[in-house]
Amino acid sequence: MHYLDYNEKINHGTPDFPIAFYHVDERHPRYNMPFHWHKEMELIRILEGSICISLDSVFLTARAGDLILIEEGVIHGGTPEHCVYECAVFDLNLLSHTDACKRYIRLITRKQIRLYNYFQADAPESAPLQEAGNRLFSALRFPHAGSEMLTLGALYEFFGRLFEAEQYSQLPEGEENLRRKMDALKPVLEYIDANYASPITLADLSRLAGMSPKYFCRFFRAAVHRTPMDYLNYYRIERACCLLGSTDLPVTEAAYRCGFNDSSYFVKTFRKYMGVTPGVYSRRS
């Protein structure tokens, strides 16, 4: 799954059935989840372990059995801990082919309501959603004749249960202000994604956000829980992990391609974030 693209531009599924399934574990080259967003909705189910995930700067920790629903445009990222999870990424308009259903979908796509986004496995009110989620992921995980219809049925059931139980809220006061702030973060994340191999300064990033460097640092840390430059290094190391795990590149070449000109600093930074040296990580992959 191309989780390292901040604004994912890949197509999920096919034009006539825009939904895709992804299974992610510690061996996956994109295991960690740097901050990104996409135009589709996403449902994540935790199978093992846990993940600390941020949804538009609100952090939560999800554990085995929990479901996380991510709406279109929400900036999200997370740190898994011995985690195995699966995702369904889909265009919500799949469910708007009849007027009777379209009115519900419009409430979501026009941002007139905010859906609840976290459903704990042991919460009684989550049981109907868990059942629908089980059917959805089963249909996606093992495609067969008729699985498209089962997938749509499970999605209709999931959202029907959300509305039945009124698991949504009216947009709170200040929501538009929060959205504007999070939107200011998007060009910064896109710039890092496109230019991580080149020198990037705090001045570059704060200029993109239209803020002073001092205010930008406070804003970025509040949203991401890292300083801008710490996050840049974290992202560069994630890119290096992808290269080391999927190619035979020497460590020094991987470091150079990910924006590190000093190999000893690269090794030190890699160990800081990954807990092992690049050489050990490469041999494991």
Side-chain angles (χ1 to χ4, degrees):
M1 183 172 186
H2 199 51
Y3 257 140
L4 293 184
D5 268 354
Y6 282 115
N7 179 13
E8 290 188 333
K9 302 174 182 67
I10 62 174
N11 294 318
H12 298 283
T14 61
D16 62 336
F17 197 65
I19 180 168
F21 169 79
Y22 304 99
H23 179 91
V24 182
D25 59 23
E26 289 180 285
R27 295 165 296 180
H28 198 288
R30 311 281 182 166
Y31 175 59
N32 285 290
M33 192 192 294
F35 287 80
H36 67 290
W37 73 95
H38 37 71
K39 63 182 181 180
E40 299 87 0
M41 294 193 76
E42 180 172 7
L43 183 65
I44 299 175
R45 179 166 67 168
I46 312 303
L47 300 177
E48 298 176 18
S50 65
I51 185 169
C52 178
I53 191 167
S54 168
L55 307 174
D56 272 353
S57 80
V58 176
F59 279 75
L60 60 88
T61 299
R63 297 177 173 82
D66 293 353
L67 294 171
I68 304 165
L69 181 64
I70 303 172
E71 294 194 56
E72 171 269 330
V74 169
I75 296 177
H76 54 287
T79 304
E81 184 72 28
H82 305 298
C83 191
V84 179
Y85 59 97
E86 54 190 3
C87 318
V89 183
F90 55 92
D91 185 341
L92 190 59
N93 287 314
L94 268 172
L95 307 184
S96 62
H97 293 299
T98 65
D99 289 340
C101 295
K102 193 176 294 183
R103 63 191 180 96
Y104 294 104
I105 303 306
R106 283 175 176 166
L107 289 173
I108 302 170
T109 57
R110 294 179 179 179
K111 308 296 183 186
Q112 294 175 299
I113 61 172
R114 174 189 281 177
L115 299 175
Y116 293 175
N117 54 32
Y118 179 43
F119 310 98
Q120 293 178 283
D122 56 359
E125 63 273 18
S126 295
L129 296 170
Q130 295 288 344
E131 292 171 7
N134 289 341
R135 283 189 274 276
L136 172 65
F137 284 110
S138 178
L140 288 170
R141 193 184 307 109
F142 305 111
H144 56 273
S147 60
E148 295 91 347
M149 299 177 76
L150 292 170
T151 296
L152 284 178
L155 276 177
Y156 273 118
E157 181 183 1
F158 186 88
F159 284 94
R161 295 297 188 185
L162 278 176
F163 280 98
E164 178 185 51
E166 297 184 352
Q167 299 209 47
Y168 58 87
S169 62
Q170 302 301 316
L171 294 186
E173 264 186 60
E175 176 71 19
E176 287 188 15
N177 186 43
L178 173 62
R179 173 55 53 198
R180 283 195 296 271
K181 285 185 175 181
M182 296 310 296
D183 284 346
L185 190 59
K186 290 179 178 179
V188 174
L189 299 178
E190 286 186 329
Y191 185 82
I192 292 173
D193 179 54
N195 298 281
Y196 67 90
S198 304
I200 296 176
T201 67
L202 178 61
D204 294 329
L205 301 180
S206 60
R207 193 180 308 114
L208 285 164
M211 303 174 188
S212 70
K214 184 176 181 180
Y215 182 81
F216 173 70
C217 282
R218 291 202 303 269
F219 161 73
F220 192 96
R221 189 180 184 93
V224 178
H225 288 204
R226 293 180 187 270
T227 67
M229 305 317 288
D230 178 43
Y231 188 77
L232 173 61
N233 279 336
Y234 167 72
Y235 182 73
R236 284 170 165 164
I237 294 301
E238 286 299 320
R239 283 294 196 184
C241 287
C242 185
L243 283 176
L244 292 171
S246 60
T247 70
D248 295 325
L249 281 177
V251 168
T252 52
E253 179 63 20
Y256 176 74
R257 291 193 186 187
C258 294
F260 293 94
N261 294 320
D262 183 329
S263 58
S264 61
Y265 179 66
F266 171 68
V267 171
K268 179 181 177 181
T269 306
F270 195 100
R271 187 193 291 272
K272 172 185 173 182
Y273 292 114
M274 303 306 297
V276 296
T277 65
V280 169
Y281 182 90
S282 183
R283 287 192 293 273
R284 279 185 191 170
S285 302

